[in-house]
Amino acid sequence: MSFRIQGLPAEEFAPLFALSDEELAARGAVRRIADGRTPGYPCRVSLTDSRPGDELILVNHEHHAVESPYRMRFAIYVRKGEETYDAVDEVPEQLRSRKLAVRAWDAEAMMVGHELVDGRELESAIDRLFANPQAKYLHVHFASPGCYAAKVERA
């Protein structure tokens, strides 16, 4: 089954990088400079990991803005100057290198399936979850911290 993975819209986060640290704090966000951790900090726009010295914003983001009990928000990293990842039948390395929780949602934003998978097996999980005709879209989360990673749709 063909699928499309998307990062968050770059234009939504680009203005944050022009704000002062005080203005960011007023929005509950903080500026960070990436250190040498491996893997790097995961940018939710480009779906790539940071390199030492990259400017990042850590911000709370509502990734499931729905009228259901499953409305969700969590902290995410975004990196300065990135473009939105949007590809069909391709899995970015950022997702491949982590343990993932994949959740399937129906048209009413109710959960209709979920799997915990190694990122190298993401395509199999996508196939299994989209085998349910009720599944309209999927959300991928990094399993250990539980934070949102990306959206998957049928292509």
Side-chain angles (χ1 to χ4, degrees):
M1 176 174 301
S2 203
F3 61 90
R4 177 183 183 195
I5 297 179
Q6 294 175 290
L8 295 173
E11 62 275 5
E12 184 176 331
F13 301 97
L16 294 176
F17 291 92
L19 299 178
S20 69
D21 289 347
E22 293 77 23
E23 290 169 318
L24 286 171
R27 295 175 181 224
V30 295
R31 184 180 328 274
R32 295 286 187 246
I33 301 300
D35 57 21
R37 86 178 219 179
T38 303
Y41 299 90
C43 177
R44 297 340 190 280
V45 171
S46 63
L47 303 185
T48 59
D49 290 335
S50 66
R51 295 171 305 277
D54 285 347
E55 184 178 346
L56 307 159
I57 301 289
L58 178 62
V59 63
N60 191 273
H61 175 70
E62 189 169 24
H63 61 275
H64 205 213
V66 294
E67 296 301 322
S68 90
Y70 290 105
R71 185 176 200 123
M72 284 183 262
R73 60 183 315 123
F74 203 78
I76 61 164
Y77 283 99
V78 292
R79 189 169 55 227
K80 185 175 185 178
E82 293 298 311
E83 293 183 17
T84 300
Y85 181 92
D86 189 351
V88 174
D89 296 334
E90 293 180 21
V91 175
E93 183 58 32
Q94 181 189 92
L95 300 182
R96 287 251 185 253
S97 64
R98 291 173 168 88
K99 182 71 84 176
L100 305 172
V102 187
R103 301 170 186 162
W105 305 100
D106 69 10
E108 285 76 44
M110 297 298 289
M111 192 181 307
V112 294
H114 52 84
E115 289 201 22
L116 186 62
V117 298
D118 183 288
R120 294 171 293 199
E121 301 168 6
L122 181 56
E123 291 97 337
S124 300
I126 290 170
D127 284 345
R128 287 188 298 272
L129 290 166
F130 274 153
N132 177 349
Q134 290 181 302
K136 298 299 178 200
Y137 59 97
L138 311 176
H139 278 179
V140 179
H141 291 250
F142 299 124
S144 183
C147 46
Y148 175 82
K151 184 176 183 178
V152 182
E153 298 176 322
R154 298 172 192 269

